[in-house]
Every structure is written in C-alpha cells, then in structure tokens.
Amino acid sequence: MGSWKNHVRARLLQRDQTEKLPYVGVFTSLSLLEERFEIRKQILEEVQSKSLERGGVEVGKNTRLLQLQLRESEHLEEKLSQTVSDLTTVLYLKEAELQYWQSRVSQYRQEALTLAKGSNTLKATLSEFEFNIECQSKELGALRTEQKGLKEALAQAWREKEELLQRWMEEKREEADRLNQYNDTQERWQRLAKHLRKNLHREMEKSMFP
C-alpha cells in the first residue's frame, strides 16, 4: 500500500521542482534590488538636498544619473513585483492543486483500505471454500470407494442369484423328472392292477360257472 503513496508523492515533488525551477533565485534577486533601490533613493534624497544648498553643474549631472538609475530600479521593481504577483498566484494554484491531490490521495488511501478489507474477506471466504472443497473431495473419495464396494457386492449378489436360480431350475427339472417317473410308475402299476383285476374276475367267473 505504501509503494503507490510514495510514487504519487515523488511525482508531485518532481512536478513542483520542474515548475519552480525557472523561478529559482527570483525572490533573492528581488530582495537585493529592493535593498539597492532603497539605498539609491536615500542617496538621491541626500544629493538633491545638497544640490539645493550648494548648486553646481557636477551635482546636477550626478542627480540626473541617479534619477535614471532610480527609474531603472523602479522599472525593475515593477517587473519583479509583477513576477512575484504571478508567482504568488501560481503558488496559490499549486497549493489548491496540492490540496486537491492530497484529498485524492486520502480518498485513494481509504479506497485502498476498503479494498484491502474486501480482499481479506475474500481471502477468508476463499480459504473456507477451499477447506469445504477439500472436505467434500475426501467425502467424495470415500463415497466412490463405498460405491465401488457396493458395485462389487451387487455383482457378487447377482452372480450368486444366477447360481441359485440355475440350481433351483436344475432341482425343479430333477423334481419334474422324478415326478414324471413316479407318474409313469403309478400308471404302469394302475395298468398292471387293472389287468390283474380283469384276470381275477375271469378266474372267479370260471370257478363259479365251470
């Protein structure tokens, strides 16, 4: 989180240095010129007072020279004053812009904190999901193992069922064969008994009616 704040702060400082570079030394020069202006003004006032007392051509020349230098200084002072005024306006704008960017940085910091909290919440949720997935994977593996065992048991039960069905059908066929044999035997015995009864009946008739 600190890296982007340092980056923004470095960019702002770099921009301020780039924009202030053309004006480096202006305030120092202005102060020196103002000091020179005051000195020259005092000298001019003294020369003018002495020229009024003494008079003379040389003093008049010096006075005109000082007046020219004074006007030059006044002109420079006006230019420097305008420059100072412009710089003051620029500084006010820069301060307002700096406050704006500071508010934006504060806003971004708050957003970053909110996002960080959201990220932590998402990480916790993700960890919970991963734990649940791991538990479900283990349960799924156990269920698959159980399913495999049940399938094998079911297949074994079907094989046993088929074997039992085959044995039952074999037993039923054998029982049907035994029943058929029994019925055949009973039928033969019945035919034999019927034949014997007929023979007995004939023998009895013969004995009764010789």
Side-chain angles (χ1 to χ4, degrees):
M1 184 183 299
S3 60
W4 70 267
K5 291 171 62 179
N6 294 331
H7 176 71
V8 172
R9 188 180 295 109
R11 291 298 297 273
L12 290 174
L13 291 175
Q14 181 181 2
R15 185 203 60 187
D16 290 342
Q17 290 177 358
T18 302
E19 293 179 353
K20 291 179 181 178
L21 184 60
Y23 307 104
V24 173
V26 172
F27 292 103
T28 304
S29 300
L30 176 62
S31 178
L32 292 175
L33 288 173
E34 286 179 347
E35 185 178 356
R36 288 172 60 189
F37 175 75
E38 291 296 331
I39 292 172
R40 289 183 180 182
K41 188 176 180 181
Q42 291 177 3
I43 292 172
L44 180 60
E45 290 175 353
E46 292 177 0
V47 170
Q48 286 178 347
S49 63
K50 289 180 180 180
S51 65
L52 291 174
E53 294 175 357
R54 297 178 182 179
V57 179
E58 188 67 26
V59 175
K61 291 181 180 180
N62 292 332
T63 301
R64 285 194 297 271
L65 178 61
L66 289 174
Q67 286 176 348
L68 290 174
Q69 292 177 349
L70 181 60
R71 281 196 292 270
E72 181 184 358
S73 298
E74 290 176 348
H75 179 68
L76 290 174
E77 183 185 15
E78 290 177 359
K79 290 181 65 175
L80 289 174
S81 297
Q82 184 62 39
T83 303
V84 170
S85 177
D86 294 341
L87 284 174
T88 303
T89 303
V90 171
L91 286 176
Y92 285 151
L93 292 175
K94 295 301 179 184
E95 288 178 357
E97 185 178 358
L98 181 61
Q99 291 179 358
Y100 168 76
W101 284 113
Q102 286 177 346
S103 64
R104 292 295 299 273
V105 169
S106 177
Q107 178 183 355
Y108 290 151
R109 182 175 180 274
Q110 188 62 37
E111 291 178 359
L113 291 174
T114 304
L115 291 174
K117 292 180 181 179
S119 177
N120 292 333
T121 303
L122 290 175
K123 287 180 179 179
T125 304
L126 179 61
S127 298
E128 184 178 357
F129 285 158
E130 289 177 348
F131 176 74
N132 292 333
I133 290 174
E134 183 179 359
C135 293
Q136 290 177 1
S137 297
K138 291 180 180 179
E139 292 178 0
L140 181 60
L143 289 174
R144 285 177 176 174
T145 302
E146 185 179 358
Q147 183 185 23
K148 182 180 179 181
L150 290 174
K151 285 182 177 180
E152 292 176 353
L154 181 61
Q156 181 65 27
W158 275 104
R159 288 193 296 270
E160 293 177 356
K161 177 186 175 183
E162 292 295 329
E163 292 176 356
L164 287 173
L165 182 60
Q166 292 294 333
R167 288 199 298 269
W168 180 80
M169 292 178 66
E170 185 68 24
E171 290 176 358
K172 289 300 179 181
R173 283 195 295 269
E174 293 177 355
E175 184 178 352
D177 292 340
R178 289 195 298 270
L179 183 59
N180 290 332
Q181 291 178 1
Y182 175 77
N183 291 333
D184 292 340
T185 302
Q186 289 295 324
E187 187 177 353
R188 286 196 299 271
W189 278 105
Q190 288 178 2
R191 287 197 300 269
L192 181 59
K194 184 177 180 181
H195 180 69
L196 290 174
R197 282 196 298 272
K198 287 182 178 180
N199 290 335
L200 180 60
H201 184 68
R202 283 197 297 268
E203 291 295 329
M204 289 178 65
E205 287 181 350
K206 288 180 181 180
S207 60
M208 292 178 62
F209 304 100

